[in-house]
Every structure is written in structure tokens, then in C-alpha cells.
């Protein structure tokens, strides 16, 4: 069987329609969009069209869209840009389960003298909104809470969070990298000031992303040196990638019904079968408020890395969490924040599906994985320790 790719929260296959849209701007139309001549002008028009395609997906105005190099830059630009423009307020509020692009940036600000509050989550990965309300003080400059978690798929009640933050007079940022294109986002209704997305998470190219900046939001640019993006992000535009992102957003809007139905059905069938066939397994995260493509399963008493290696040998690609931290042997900070037991936190595997997956692929994983889990438990020192502790 061909390789089965179930790691779409790490990156996605670039859609063929996106590649076709990009190709002419890698070869034939190679001008600089900032040039005065018509060869560059026609490219400027195409960038404007892509900007509108992104705005249509997010439910906002086109002039509120800034193109960046990806979600990490967008998160950094949002957080650092606010603190450089509102440096009289030293406090930031976030959560313990944020992506490293937010988490590490906030902690760097803390080292520079700012105050940081990282809110806990419960065993299902949910945030206590009363704790959020209490955490915001007169010194709080901004609050940054992710739209949906990249490891568990848990969706935060982002509209309620945004209302709490705005009622306190603070800037609100949300990292929507995992949510965009999978679930509806309407910034005409959601009172967020800043929102980040990434092209390669929704079947667009790598190296391009977006920072949404609501009209009237004060933000110092992270990158200076040119007039591009209305002076809010300098540098010659990555034209092919921007055009690809626009097309990917258009396709995402068109295919969102499938994402929320067929993909969800495959996800549910996969996790139900695996938890039934594999004793001592558990689903990590809120089962009701979750991205339709994501399941995070812990198989107790074995190492997740061993599971991933055996899956890879059978042509199945999955992950143990965020691709940005997968090189670390430390257990997931998200699962630790949720209080997942030690016997389970090391044996967690994230399966993240896309519209390109098939029922046949899911059937194959359901056939192959339970046997792998059984073999690994037979040789696992964790299993023997657990058995001794129960005697």
C-alpha cells in the first residue's frame, strides 16, 4: 500500500489547484509587485485578489490582511508589535497549552521584564473563563489564546474569550493556524484584534501566512525596511506563495462542509476502533468541542516514539504532537498541562486527517495498529512495572 499520511496538523499536501495557480508566477510573471511598470502592476492586481480570497475565508476586510512568512512570524508580529506600541502596560495573559510560537515569545518577553500569566486547563484541555477574567488587570496589554489546539484539536470558546478581553479594554490575539479552513471563522462577529494563520496548514504552500489586524489596532511592524503591506511588513512579496495561499483559502471555503462531515466520520471511526481494540487507551481532549480532523490517543505503558517508528515501517505517518517540538524527548507540554497520567503521556499519538484521506487508508490503520500496540507492550518495561505495582 502507498504511504498513508495522517499528520496534517504538522503540514498538508499542497492542493494541485494551488500549484497550478502558482506556476505562472514562478516562470512567466516574475516581476516585482512594487514596480511602476505594467509588468509589475499586473502582479499587484493578483496579490490584491489573493488578499480578498483570504478575507472572504476569515470574514473580514481585505485591507486588514497582512501577508507574512507563516504562522510563527504572524504570532511574533502580533505579540511583539503590541508590546512595542503599548509598552506602558507590562502584562500579557496566555495559556499553558499554546503553540511554541506564542509560548516561547511570551516567555522571552517575561525575561525582558514583562509580566506573564499562563492560565491552566482542565483534564479535557478546556479553559476556565472565570480564571481568565480574574487574570486580566489594569496592567494587562494583551491576551493571546489559541483558537484550536494543534495537539488535541480542542476548540476554545473564542468568541466568549474575545468578549471578556475586550470588555476589559485589552488587545486580543488568537493563533488560528489549526482552525482556519477546518471550521468557520467570521471576524465580522468575532471581536478579535489580531489573528494568525499559516498557508501550509490548509493545503497551501509553505513559507506564507497571514496576520489579520483589525482596523484601528496599534501595532509596530516586526520587519522594517520597505513600504510593502502598507508599511506593516517590509520585504518584497513572496508572490507565488501569496497567490497559492489565496487559492488555498478559496478551496478551503468550498470544502469546509466535507471537512466537517466526511473527514470527521473517518476520524471518529478510527478512534472508536482503536480504543476498542487496544486496551488501556484513552482519548486526550474535549470530545465535544474538537477539530473535525484531529484525535490524540494515549496507549498506556509504551513509548509514543516506538509506536511512530512501527507505524512508519508500515507506511503510516502520524506524530506525537507539535512538529515544532517533535525533536525533543520531553513529554508534550499540552498533555502535561492537562494532567494526563505519566503512564499515558509518553505513549500519545496524534492522528490528523485531511480531505485527501480515504476510508481504505483508515481501514488499513485499524488493521495494523492494534497488533503493534500488543507487540510493544510485550517488551515494554513500563508494562512490567505497572504489573508489579498492582501485585
Amino acid at each position: 500500500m502507498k504511504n498513508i499520511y495522517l499528520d496534517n496538523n504538522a503540514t498538508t499536501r499542497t492542493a494541485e489547484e494551488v500549484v497550478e495557480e502558482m506556476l505562472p508566477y514562478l516562470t512567466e510573471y516574475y516581476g516585482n509587485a512594487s514596480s511602476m511598470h505594467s509588468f509589475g502592476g499586473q502582479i499587484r492586481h493578483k496579490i490584491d485578489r489573493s488578499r480578498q480570497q483570504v478575507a472572504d475565508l476569515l470574514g473580514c476586510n481585505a485591507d486588514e490582511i497582512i501577508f507574512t512568512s507563516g504562522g510563527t512570524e504572524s504570532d511574533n508580529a502580533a505579540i511583539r508589535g503590541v508590546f512595542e506600541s503599548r509598552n506602558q502596560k507590562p502584562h500579557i495573559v496566555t495559556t499553558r497549552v499554546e503553540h511554541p510560537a506564542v509560548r516561547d515569545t511570551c516567555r522571552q518577553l517575561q525575561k525582558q521584564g514583562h509580566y506573564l500569566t499562563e492560565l491552566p486547563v482542565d483534564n479535557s484541555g478546556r479553559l476556565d473563563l472565570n480564571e481568565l477574567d480574574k487574570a486580566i488587570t489594569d496592567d494587562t496589554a494583551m491576551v493571546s489564546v489559541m483558537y484550536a489546539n494543534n495537539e488535541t484539536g480542542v476548540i476554545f470558546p473564542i468568541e466568549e474569550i474575545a468578549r471578556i478581553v475586550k470588555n476589559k479594554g485589552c488587545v486580543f490575539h488568537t493563533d488560528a493556524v489549526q482552525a482556519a479552513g477546518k471550521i468557520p471563522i467570521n471576524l465580522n462577529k468575532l471581536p478579535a484584534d489580531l489573528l494568525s494563520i499559516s498557508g501550509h496548514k490548509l493545503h497551501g504552500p509553505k513559507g506564507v501566512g497571514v496576520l489579520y489586524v483589525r482596523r484601528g489596532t496599534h501595532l509596530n511592524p516586526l520587519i522594517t525596511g520597505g513600504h510593502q503591506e502598507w508599511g506593516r511588513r517590509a520585504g518584497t512579496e513572496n508572490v507565488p506563495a501569496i497567490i497559492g495561499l489565496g487559492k488555498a483559502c478559496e478551496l478551503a471555503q468550498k470544502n469546509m462542509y466535507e471537512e466537517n462531515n466526511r473527514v470527521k466520520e473517518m476520524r471518529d471511526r478510527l478512534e472508536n476502533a482503536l480504543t476498542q481494540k487496544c486496551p488501556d487507551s484513552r482519548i486526550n481532549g474535549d470530545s465535544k468541542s474538537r477539530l473535525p480532523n484531529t484525535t490524540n490517543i494515549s496507549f498506556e505503558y509504551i513509548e509514543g516514539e516506538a509506536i511512530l517508528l512501527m507505524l512508519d515501517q508500515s507506511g503510516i505517518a502520524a506524530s506525537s504532537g507539535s512538529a515544532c517540538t517533535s525533536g525533543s524527548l520531553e513529554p508534550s507540554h499540552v498533555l502535561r498541562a492537562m494532567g494526563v497520567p505519566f503512564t499515558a503521556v509518553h505513549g500519545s499519538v496524534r492522528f490528523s486527517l485531511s480531505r485527501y484521506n480515504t476510508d481504505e487508508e483508515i481501514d488499513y490503520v485499524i488493521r495494523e495498529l492494534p497488533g503493534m500496540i500488543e507487540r510493544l507492550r510485550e517488551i515494554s518495561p513500563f508494562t512490567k512495572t505497572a504489573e508489579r505495582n498492582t501485585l
Side-chain angles (χ1 to χ4, degrees), residues 12 68-72 74 175-178 180 196-210 245:
T12 57
T68 68
S69 66
T72 296
S74 295
D175 177 343
V177 164
Q178 290 298 338
S196 307
I197 73 170
S198 181
H200 74 104
K201 305 291 188 178
L202 44 79
H203 302 290
K206 296 175 179 64
V208 67
V210 158
L245 174 57

Side-chain angles (χ1 to χ4, degrees), residues 92-134:
I92 183 169
V93 177
T94 186
T95 79
R96 294 180 185 173
V97 295
E98 297 297 313
H99 186 277
V102 169
R103 182 170 173 252
D104 293 354
T105 303
C106 291
R107 290 183 175 184
Q108 283 185 3
L109 288 173
Q110 184 182 34
K111 291 178 181 178
Q112 294 166 9
H114 296 286
Y115 300 104
L116 172 63
T117 299
E118 293 182 338
L119 296 169
V121 295
D122 67 13
N123 291 341
S124 295
R126 295 172 300 209
L127 189 65
D128 186 331
L129 300 190
N130 290 325
E131 290 295 317
L132 169 65
D133 188 63
K134 293 176 185 176

Side-chain angles (χ1 to χ4, degrees), residues 8 21 64 104 134 152 173 226 236 265 284 303:
N8 288 276
E21 195 85 0
E64 296 173 310
D104 293 354
K134 293 176 185 176
T152 63
H173 165 253
T236 301
E265 288 175 2
N284 298 312
E303 287 284 350

